[in-house]
Amino acid sequence: MAHPLELWILEDDLALCRLIGEQCERQGWHLQAFHHPRSMEAALAERSPEILLLDQMLPEKCGTDVLASLRNRNHHFPVLMISAMGAPSDRVLGLESGANDYISKPFLFRELQLRIQNLIQKQPHTKPSSLTSAVLRFANLRFDPGLQRILADQGDEIRLSRGECNLLLAFCQQPEIVVSRQSLAQLTCSLVDPERSRTFDVRISRLRRILRDLTGGEDLIRPVRGEGYRLEAPVFEEGP
């Protein structure tokens, strides 16, 4: 049996949290409510949600600041921002801050439900491959697709989001070869149009930054103007 969708909400309106929680329960989803950023930070030390519903107006800290902190610490689960500020400029600010979607209060739960389902569908599922169960080595890194993590020889480790993991796996399947943006989208089963959406650029930029951080600044994924991207290192399967 499939596990229930694990949703978190960071929202100081307790009544709204209860209402959303009741509706989520009817969908078979589990909603964990947090009313202050500090309580959610403590929970993140042990686990993370599949999707976070994030209020923009919070005690002590605004939602965009919370989101920036999450992304800087390599928490890349999808975030649906909730806000009473519904002007176009407010939505743009939320999306530019790293939110995957934005919904304005007041809203119908049906709209929230559809947006959540859309985020679920946009999370790519790794295609079957002989590489997915193997630990891969390139440069000074060990990439474990099964555990969604990269380890550097010096001991540093970074957990990847599912989208980042699938994207890196696509590069590892075709190392030292230019791969077009459309091919990368197909290899990762992404529903995002790479020619029209900034989401694809943001995901590649995050992955490139992660690799630079782990290699001391080496740019392992390089853009090739007008053609796509190339992983600048051979890839080997790690032996038993």
Side-chain angles (χ1 to χ4, degrees):
M1 182 180 296
H3 75 282
L5 181 67
E6 181 73 15
L7 295 170
W8 286 10
I9 184 170
L10 180 54
E11 164 68 71
D12 61 332
D13 185 334
L14 275 62
L16 180 60
C17 288
R18 284 195 297 270
L19 178 61
I20 294 177
E22 291 169 0
Q23 295 291 337
C24 285
E25 187 176 354
R26 292 176 184 149
Q27 298 298 318
W29 300 342
H30 177 260
L31 182 74
Q32 175 69 55
F34 301 93
H35 308 305
H36 196 286
R38 286 191 298 247
S39 59
M40 189 183 76
E41 294 289 338
L44 279 171
E46 299 181 358
R47 65 193 193 282
S48 61
E50 293 178 74
I51 295 176
L52 171 64
L53 311 179
L54 176 61
D55 185 30
Q56 168 65 341
M57 304 297 291
L58 293 164
E60 299 182 13
K61 186 184 289 188
C62 67
T64 50
D65 288 342
V66 172
L67 181 54
S69 176
L70 290 172
R71 297 311 192 210
N72 287 338
R73 290 181 290 115
N74 295 309
H75 291 296
H76 297 308
F77 42 77
V79 173
L80 172 54
M81 186 162 282
I82 301 172
S83 178
M85 300 184 295
S89 58
D90 297 317
R91 293 195 296 271
V92 168
L93 176 61
L95 295 171
E96 287 183 339
S97 299
N100 301 82
D101 200 357
Y102 192 105
I103 188 170
S104 301
K105 300 176 183 177
F107 52 81
L108 296 175
F109 180 78
R110 178 58 176 162
E111 181 185 359
L112 181 66
Q113 176 189 356
L114 290 172
R115 290 182 181 275
I116 290 171
Q117 290 173 339
N118 188 47
L119 288 176
I120 296 169
Q121 292 172 353
K122 285 183 177 180
Q123 293 304 297
H125 298 277
T126 306
K127 286 188 174 182
S129 166
S130 62
L131 295 181
T132 57
S133 59
V135 175
L136 308 176
R137 288 197 67 96
F138 59 96
N140 68 323
L141 305 175
R142 297 175 69 247
F143 169 39
D144 189 333
L147 297 179
Q148 294 184 199
R149 66 179 183 178
I150 308 180
L151 302 94
D153 287 344
Q154 68 269 26
D156 295 334
E157 174 183 335
I158 290 182
R159 297 276 178 173
L160 301 174
S161 69
R162 185 163 54 185
E164 290 161 350
C165 183
N166 289 342
L167 185 58
L168 182 54
L169 187 60
F171 280 115
C172 288
Q173 289 170 337
Q174 301 186 69
E176 302 180 288
I177 295 174
V178 177
V179 187
S180 71
R181 293 160 61 88
Q182 287 289 354
S183 293
L184 287 169
Q186 292 171 2
L187 286 166
T188 58
C189 302
S190 174
L191 299 180
V192 175
D193 184 347
E195 304 301 329
R196 303 179 64 181
S197 172
R198 286 192 67 248
T199 301
F200 196 79
D201 294 318
V202 169
R203 186 171 292 160
I204 289 183
S205 295
R206 287 177 183 159
L207 181 58
R208 294 178 69 194
R209 184 175 68 245
I210 287 170
L211 297 182
R212 283 196 298 269
D213 290 345
L214 288 173
T215 58
E218 186 176 357
D219 197 0
L220 289 174
I221 296 177
R222 298 204 176 186
V224 179
R225 187 176 179 85
E227 296 185 46
Y229 295 85
R230 179 172 55 221
L231 176 62
E232 301 282 358
V235 177
F236 306 94
E237 289 191 32
E238 191 171 83

